[in-house]
Amino acid sequence: MKLILHYLKRYKKLLILNIISVFGFALVELGLPTIIANMIDNGVTNQNVEYLYSMWFLAIVISIIGVAGTIVLGYCCAKISTSITRDMRNDIFSHIQTFSPHEFNHFGISSLITRTNNDAFQIQLFVNVILRTALLTPVMVIISVFMTMRTSLELSLIIAATLPVIVVGVIVVAKISEPMSQKQQLSLDRLNRITRENLSGLKVIRAFNNDAYEQARFNQTNDEFTGYTRKIFKLMLLTQPIFYFLMNLVTLVIFYVASHMIDAGTLQVGKLIAFQEYLFHAMFSMMLFCNVFVMYPRAAVSAKRIMSVLSTQSDIKDHVLQTPQSSTFQHHLSFRNVTFAYPDGEEAVLKNISFEAHEGETIAFIGSTGSGKSTLINLIPRFYDISSGEILIDGIDIQDYRIDDLRNKIGFIPQKAMLFTGTIAENLRYGKADATLEELEHAAKVSQSYDFIMEKPKGFDEMITESATNVSGGQRQRLSIARALIRKPEIYIFDDSFSALDYKTDAILRHALKEETQHSIVFIVAQRISTIKDADQIIVLDEGQIVGHGKHKELLQTCPIYHEIALSQLSEEELNYE
Ligand SMILES: Nc1ncnc2c1ncn2[C@@H]1O[C@H](COP(=O)(O)OP(=O)(O)OP(=O)(O)O)[C@@H](O)[C@H]1O
């Protein structure tokens, strides 16, 4: 409720209109029976035509107010409930943008998608119901009960006796449905995760002939989800007929007592008709109100899931409002005794890493898989914060930079080239929104993408499909390099970004890059010796520690691990020649 109230506050004017229209609606629903009762008891019985006409006119006016009230009520409910869900989705989405990989791992991507879409939708349904009924029904119940008491105190006692039964019923239903809703949303998370994995891993599934296994996995989770949903539906469907049955029972008792009262002359027929109408409204409103309580646990579960996303603060925070001015003229980056352990891991993945990188230099990292290369370069844009030590850029600790300023300095080319759905030009402009066509062409030429872009029927306006399936792995890498080049960053980070390129393209590209990056610092993570052998500094990592640091020729002599890697890729002659 706290979450819903927080968003409802933004639509105060519409809420006031909503409340006014609720009263308009109540006026009609409860005013008409009184008018009809008066028409029967005073107009028809006494054959007073003038009285009948005036009541008839009043009934029309009230009906028109009712129609207007109903339309306005519907409009307000729809507008408020859809608007607050839109706001909620926007807030969740922008809050997720601040998350570090640690928070993403904590929630899981599929669950974050479910929370943004499905949970927010549950809240929308609930808000719609409360705006329609939570305000209206108490008003209707109170007024109808008052009117029934005014019409006949004896008959209203029968209603009073059934109220506790209804209240207990509502509490029981709410208690049963809350854990069910929790399980339902969790199984929806699982269903989304399996669907996502299936669709993105389609080729692997087919190659391993595991369609049947995946189908079974999906069916099982789907059945589980359907099971929980069915249980909730059953519970809701069961409550309605029971309630109607109760209402009919009460009506029968009332008619039985009323017939005796009419016989005895203590009740008029018109009053009985009005009483019956009030009773219907009181009971029906009660039922609608119960619906709010039945829906509440489900919405509460969704609200909790959304709140837990919104209240999670990223590990990576801005520590300053403004980035201090650097006093150095040349770009410079240094690691000083950096040690790092992943938030969920106990052991340090990087230990005592120190090195200096200067403007115009290329620093390459090599080492066996899992030695910590990607982890190391992920620390520079602060995807993770270090456990101890310091990372300085231009003499300032990266923690003292505003995160935006820090990341604006960096052109990051990830291990898995990621392109977005849109044209090639749009993808390249992701690096710099206002890049001119000349800038796009230049970056494409340097990254060796220009020729294949020009071969596409629409050139830079060619659409990249979802998951970039219409470009090859190597082309994807080159486009993601072009995207970084457009930014002209101070620091380039290539995380194994040349692996999908053939040796010739790799060599030409690195040569073209040399010119382009002469005023930047370039970090390259690579598996191939040929990619890094010209680097100004090569850092060899093993189990998170630096075990070799120098140039290619030096390392061949001084670092056995480097020598071993080189030997596995180059022949003895090539090594000697190098
Ligand atoms: N998000 C994570 N949480 C916990 N441990 C992680 C995480 N990512 C990587 N690791 C662990 O950190 C160590 C270093 O991984 P990293 O990806 O940096 O290695 P790498 O040298 O880049 O390997 P590769 O060459 O295979 O890409 C590995 O033991 C890995 O299992």
Side-chain angles (χ1 to χ4, degrees):
M1 268 324 244
K2 221 167 104 187
L3 179 81
I4 293 171
L5 283 176
H6 169 75
Y7 284 97
L8 275 180
K9 270 193 233 152
R10 298 182 187 178
Y11 299 95
K12 281 190 195 120
K13 280 187 195 153
L14 276 172
L15 260 178
I16 292 170
L17 202 60
N18 196 94
I19 294 167
I20 294 172
S21 55
V22 160
F23 280 103
F25 185 81
L27 177 76
V28 179
E29 292 297 313
L30 300 171
L32 281 181
T34 312
I35 293 172
I36 291 167
N38 285 340
M39 282 168 101
I40 294 171
D41 292 341
N42 304 332
V44 179
T45 319
N46 304 334
Q47 296 196 338
N48 186 343
V49 180
E50 239 175 70
Y51 181 80
L52 278 176
Y53 274 136
S54 66
M55 283 293 123
W56 179 78
F57 180 72
L58 193 63
I60 293 213
V61 172
I62 287 187
S63 301
I64 292 171
I65 296 174
V67 170
T70 315
I71 294 172
V72 174
L73 179 65
Y75 170 79
C76 292
C77 291
K79 179 95 181 166
I80 299 173
S81 61
T82 51
S83 302
I84 70 166
T85 323
R86 177 203 53 205
D87 295 354
M88 219 177 264
R89 282 200 194 103
N90 281 344
D91 288 354
I92 302 171
F93 188 79
S94 66
H95 191 68
I96 290 175
Q97 303 298 308
T98 66
F99 281 2
S100 73
H102 178 218
E103 288 86 39
F104 279 109
N105 290 345
H106 170 70
F107 287 106
I109 305 285
S110 305
S111 180
L112 286 173
I113 295 173
T114 320
R115 288 168 205 239
T116 314
N117 298 330
N118 187 277
D119 284 310
F121 182 65
Q122 293 299 334
I123 305 254
Q124 178 178 324
L125 292 180
F126 181 66
V127 170
N128 207 307
V129 170
I130 45 171
L131 290 179
R132 260 176 201 283
T133 57
L135 289 173
L136 178 67
T137 50
V139 173
M140 292 288 278
V141 170
I142 292 167
I143 302 179
S144 340
V145 167
F146 173 72
M147 295 301 273
T148 50
M149 284 166 70
R150 222 185 70 159
T151 316
S152 167
L153 199 60
E154 291 97 317
L155 293 181
S156 42
L157 286 178
I158 301 171
I159 306 174
T162 54
L163 276 181
V165 180
I166 296 172
V167 172
V168 171
V170 168
I171 295 172
V172 170
V173 168
K175 285 262 177 254
I176 300 174
S177 67
E178 179 160 3
M180 273 188 207
S181 304
Q182 183 105 34
K183 286 181 188 159
Q184 187 202 25
Q185 290 307 91
L186 284 175
S187 73
L188 183 62
D189 276 354
R190 276 198 293 280
L191 194 65
N192 281 345
R193 196 186 59 232
I194 293 174
T195 311
R196 205 167 157 265
E197 272 178 10
N198 257 275
L199 296 178
S200 50
L202 209 64
K203 281 185 191 155
V204 181
I205 295 166
R206 298 225 167 120
F208 281 85
N209 252 338
N210 262 344
D211 302 53
Y213 168 76
E214 287 298 328
Q215 184 70 54
R217 198 157 77 108
F218 182 85
N219 287 354
Q220 191 196 349
T221 317
N222 197 12
D223 286 348
E224 210 175 274
F225 176 67
T226 312
Y228 290 130
T229 312
R230 236 181 239 156
K231 273 188 191 163
I232 292 174
F233 275 150
K234 270 190 209 157
L235 187 71
M236 295 207 180
L237 289 178
L238 212 68
T239 49
Q240 261 187 7
I242 291 177
F243 195 84
Y244 278 124
F245 175 71
L246 199 69
M247 212 163 109
N248 289 336
L249 212 65
V250 173
T251 312
L252 283 178
V253 176
I254 283 172
F255 268 96
Y256 177 78
V257 177
S259 61
H260 284 285
M261 287 170 73
I262 289 174
D263 254 1
T266 49
L267 187 72
Q268 288 173 292
V269 178
K271 284 215 165 135
L272 175 63
I273 293 173
F275 187 89
Q276 169 65 17
E277 277 286 316
Y278 297 137
L279 170 72
F280 172 77
H281 283 302
M283 294 294 227
F284 194 69
S285 303
M286 237 355 231
M287 197 185 82
L288 288 180
F289 200 58
C290 293
N291 225 0
V292 174
F293 281 94
V294 172
M295 284 184 80
Y296 175 74
R298 203 168 174 193
V301 168
S302 289
K304 261 188 225 158
R305 285 161 54 91
I306 291 175
M307 287 279 274
S308 83
V309 173
L310 291 177
S311 61
T312 300
Q313 291 303 317
S314 173
D315 288 348
I316 309 297
K317 292 188 194 71
D318 263 325
H319 300 302
V320 292
L321 288 174
Q322 214 180 350
T323 306
Q325 203 75 38
S326 167
S327 53
T328 57
F329 296 105
Q330 288 237 316
H331 300 309
H332 177 250
L333 188 146
S334 52
F335 269 55
R336 294 190 185 156
N337 288 321
V338 171
T339 295
F340 171 73
Y342 278 101
D344 308 324
E346 282 171 15
E347 265 201 48
V349 176
L350 293 170
K351 293 154 215 152
N352 282 320
I353 305 290
S354 296
F355 62 85
E356 305 281 329
H358 302 95
E359 184 172 318
E361 272 189 336
T362 298
I363 296 93
F365 299 95
I366 198 162
S368 55
T369 72
S371 56
K373 305 179 293 290
S374 297
T375 304
L376 190 149
I377 48 152
N378 280 340
L379 298 178
I380 302 172
R382 282 190 70 197
F383 292 152
Y384 293 98
D385 275 340
I386 57 176
S387 313
S388 67
E390 282 179 313
I391 302 175
L392 306 165
I393 293 181
D394 298 343
I396 299 166
D397 194 315
I398 56 169
Q399 307 252 1
D400 294 334
Y401 277 86
R402 281 198 56 228
I403 295 173
D404 285 356
D405 293 338
L406 173 71
R407 292 183 183 162
N408 276 338
K409 285 179 174 291
I410 299 168
F412 193 87
I413 302 100
Q415 205 164 19
K416 191 168 173 271
M418 161 76 202
L419 298 176
F420 297 95
T421 314
T423 63
I424 291 181
E426 281 165 358
N427 265 283
L428 298 192
R429 288 202 173 101
Y430 207 80
K432 184 180 172 206
D434 57 353
T436 62
L437 185 61
E438 286 71 39
E439 285 177 288
L440 297 189
E441 284 174 350
H442 177 71
K445 281 177 186 162
V446 176
S447 65
Q448 308 305 302
S449 319
Y450 189 74
D451 289 349
F452 82 78
I453 294 174
M454 286 302 117
E455 278 165 22
K456 299 271 178 199
K458 291 186 181 166
F460 280 99
D461 292 326
E462 187 75 16
M463 278 300 284
I464 297 285
T465 53
E466 193 183 327
S467 304
T469 43
N470 60 340
V471 278
S472 74
Q475 290 172 341
R476 233 174 282 158
Q477 280 196 335
R478 281 179 271 170
L479 287 176
S480 69
I481 292 172
R483 179 175 61 195
L485 282 169
I486 280 188
R487 286 190 109 161
K488 296 197 180 304
E490 293 167 21
I491 299 163
Y492 284 90
I493 299 177
F494 295 91
D495 186 2
D496 212 2
S497 324
F498 305 101
S499 57
L501 305 182
D502 59 82
Y503 282 85
K504 189 174 150 217
T505 314
D506 181 358
I508 300 172
L509 198 154
R510 275 183 295 107
H511 182 74
L513 274 178
K514 194 84 202 147
E515 185 123 329
E516 196 65 20
T517 59
Q518 52 185 307
H519 297 296
S520 307
I521 303 169
V522 179
F523 292 105
I524 299 181
V525 167
Q527 308 282 357
R528 287 187 204 153
I529 292 279
S530 58
T531 306
I532 61 160
K533 68 180 173 37
D534 297 324
D536 302 291
Q537 299 180 46
I538 299 171
I539 294 176
V540 188
L541 287 175
D542 188 43
E543 295 187 357
Q545 281 176 308
I546 296 181
V547 291
H549 189 174
K551 288 191 181 252
H552 173 69
K553 278 190 183 163
E554 248 175 279
L555 287 171
L556 282 175
Q557 309 295 327
T558 58
C559 179
I561 292 185
Y562 187 80
H563 187 262
E564 200 180 307
I565 298 171
L567 196 60
S568 67
Q569 295 179 16
L570 309 170
S571 65
E572 280 286 356
E573 295 84 68
E574 279 173 308
L575 278 179
N576 291 334
Y577 177 73
E578 302 289 334

